[in-house]
Amino acid sequence: MTYKQWTMSALALVMSLGLAACDSGDDPAQEASNNSEQAAEETQQAADEAGDEMSEMSDEASDDMEEMGDNAADESSDAMDEAGEEIDEAQDATADAADEAGDEMSEAADEAGDAMDNAADETQEATDEATDEAADEMNDAADEAEQQADELENDAEDDNQS
């Protein structure tokens, strides 16, 4: 028996006994006995009613708690699903951005390679031209030196013959 049930039972008993004491019947002992029995019945009935009410309140509270738990579980599950979807979307966006950055880097590397090839070609052409010019100048100088040597040789022969 709970505290509230006990309190209700005691209150009903006190009220019944108080009414029995105020009654002006012929046989006080018989009336007290009858009143005592009636008070006990009323007390039992009040205790039963209080117990039924408490059981009903407990059932309602249990149902409410179960419903709240179900609602919280559903909301938590929905939130977890939504968070999972947002994580998937963020991963997809990150992968797309990484792919795009990789494509841009590849394109930039290709352009840099092309620029280096062009610079190497231009440098080679300039080197070839400079080499050709230097070779031509050396050939011209060699021809001049050979011509001067021939002239000197001819002059020396002329001087020897004379």
Side-chain angles (χ1 to χ4, degrees), residues 1-14 39-40 42-58:
M1 184 179 286
T2 65
Y3 177 72
K4 287 185 179 183
Q5 288 175 335
W6 185 81
T7 302
M8 295 296 291
S9 298
L11 181 60
L13 179 63
V14 169
E42 289 175 0
T43 301
Q44 182 61 42
Q45 184 180 3
D48 289 344
E49 288 176 6
D52 290 344
E53 286 183 32
M54 290 190 67
S55 177
E56 187 177 319
M57 288 178 11
S58 175

Side-chain angles (χ1 to χ4, degrees), residues 38-104:
Q38 184 180 359
E41 288 175 11
E42 289 175 0
T43 301
Q44 182 61 42
Q45 184 180 3
D48 289 344
E49 288 176 6
D52 290 344
E53 286 183 32
M54 290 190 67
S55 177
E56 187 177 319
M57 288 178 11
S58 175
D59 288 345
E60 287 177 8
S62 177
D63 291 344
D64 289 346
M65 291 295 285
E66 183 178 348
E67 185 177 338
M68 286 172 40
D70 290 345
N71 289 343
D74 289 344
E75 289 175 11
S76 178
S77 177
D78 291 346
M80 293 280 287
D81 290 344
E82 188 175 324
E85 289 172 8
E86 288 178 11
I87 288 171
D88 289 343
E89 289 174 8
Q91 287 175 337
D92 290 344
T94 301
D96 290 345
D99 286 344
E100 188 174 324
D103 291 345
E104 288 177 8

Side-chain angles (χ1 to χ4, degrees), residues 133-147:
E133 283 181 28
D136 288 345
E137 288 177 13
M138 287 174 62
N139 284 337
D140 289 345
D143 288 344
E144 280 182 35
E146 187 179 332
Q147 189 176 19

